[in-house]
Amino acid sequence: EAGVAQSPRYKIIEKRQSVAFWCNPISGHATLYWYQQILGQGPKLLIQFQNNGVVDDSQLPKDRFSAERLKGVDSTLKIQPAKLEDSAVYLCASSLVGGITDTQYFGPGTRLTVL
Amino acid sequence: QQQVKQSPQSLIVQKGGISIINCAYENTAFDYFPWYQQFPGKGPALLIAIRPDVSEKKEGRFTISFNKSAKQFSLHIMDSQPGDSATYFCAAKEETSGSRLTFGEGTQLTVNP
């Protein structure tokens, strides 16, 4: 079974530029998550989708971050404009239905460096 | 507000030894406690998980001990191997927040040969 795919793996941008990340979840998984992992910290949930709809975006900085899930499958996360503190690894995860004991499978992440 | 506190930040163990990582939580609504293992350049992967209705769960060399009254849980890795060298995260979920995982800060484990 193929895992969660993410691209690009690495991205370096200047502050105030925009950037987009792409995620393809495991086939058949209804729930998709974006996490931000700052160096030396645990991942922090940014947004959770259930099929096409947003379930939880309470920790998403909506003035600069946006995300969408296309046709309930692939998803993109965008940052516009980027700040220095956005430097982090952005992890995408998916799970079958999103229940409390449902396993979340993580992709390898995109490492973003903002200069 | 940090809801899950993890210690130690780093841990060095000799091959064959026992690795112990501790976590404490504040939110009594947490109802599911997984541990994740992360290797450099990879995403976290589920290692083992427990619900608060049991005090211990064992899978191979990995054991979770859970103390509901103290709001603490720990991961024990028996017979630690160099291949166990990774970063370990405890996490917690509550039913009312959907599937949001709240992670601890992580413990970098090094197992020396």
Side-chain angles (χ1 to χ4, degrees):
Chain A
E1 174 179 86
V4 176
Q6 290 188 246
S7 67
R9 291 297 313 276
Y10 306 92
K11 190 74 177 178
I12 300 174
I13 61 172
E14 301 277 338
K15 61 182 178 183
R16 291 188 290 273
Q17 285 187 323
S18 62
V19 64
F21 313 124
W22 173 82
C23 172
N24 179 241
I26 293 173
S27 177
H29 280 194
T31 312
L32 185 145
Y33 316 79
W34 284 101
Y35 287 85
Q36 179 192 57
Q37 185 174 22
I38 293 172
L39 186 65
Q41 298 182 17
K44 183 184 83 171
L45 180 71
L46 293 175
I47 189 167
Q48 175 187 340
F49 292 94
Q50 186 74 19
N51 296 309
N52 288 335
V54 175
V55 174
D56 184 353
D57 64 355
S58 59
Q59 299 185 108
L60 185 75
K62 298 181 186 63
D63 57 334
R64 297 185 300 106
F65 286 66
S66 64
E68 62 178 359
R69 189 172 184 194
L70 308 172
K71 298 180 182 178
V73 182
D74 293 4
S75 178
T76 55
L77 176 70
K78 297 179 182 178
I79 308 174
Q80 183 178 11
K83 293 185 175 182
L84 296 177
E85 59 261 37
D86 298 331
S87 293
V89 174
Y90 291 85
L91 295 163
C92 179
S94 70
S95 67
L96 196 58
V97 293
I100 191 167
T101 59
D102 211 20
T103 298
Q104 294 185 24
Y105 296 88
F106 285 80
T110 297
R111 181 176 297 277
L112 173 67
T113 301
V114 183
L115 302 175
Chain B
Q1 178 188 8
Q2 184 184 352
Q3 295 196 54
V4 181
K5 295 184 180 180
Q6 183 171 347
S7 63
Q9 193 172 18
S10 62
L11 180 62
I12 299 174
V13 174
Q14 292 299 117
K15 179 182 175 181
I18 302 173
S19 304
I20 302 173
I21 304 170
N22 301 299
C23 283
Y25 63 97
E26 299 165 2
N27 185 351
T28 54
F30 284 143
D31 199 34
Y32 181 68
F33 301 88
W35 284 86
Y36 280 79
Q37 179 188 55
Q38 185 176 29
F39 293 103
K42 305 288 187 183
L46 179 67
L47 191 61
I48 186 172
I50 197 168
R51 298 203 73 166
D53 52 348
V54 297
S55 60
E56 187 175 281
K57 184 173 181 180
K58 183 176 180 179
E59 290 183 2
R61 296 184 295 109
F62 301 91
T63 299
I64 300 178
S65 296
F66 188 86
N67 186 329
K68 188 173 181 178
S69 60
K71 292 186 286 185
Q72 295 175 347
F73 58 111
S74 59
L75 176 70
H76 292 64
I77 305 174
M78 310 300 288
D79 187 27
S80 299
Q81 299 297 312
D84 297 330
S85 297
T87 300
Y88 292 79
F89 293 96
C90 60
K93 273 190 199 180
E94 59 175 298
E95 190 82 57
T96 54
S97 72
S99 303
R100 182 195 305 175
L101 278 168
T102 299
F103 283 88
E105 293 178 315
T107 296
Q108 188 167 347
L109 172 66
T110 302
V111 181
N112 288 327

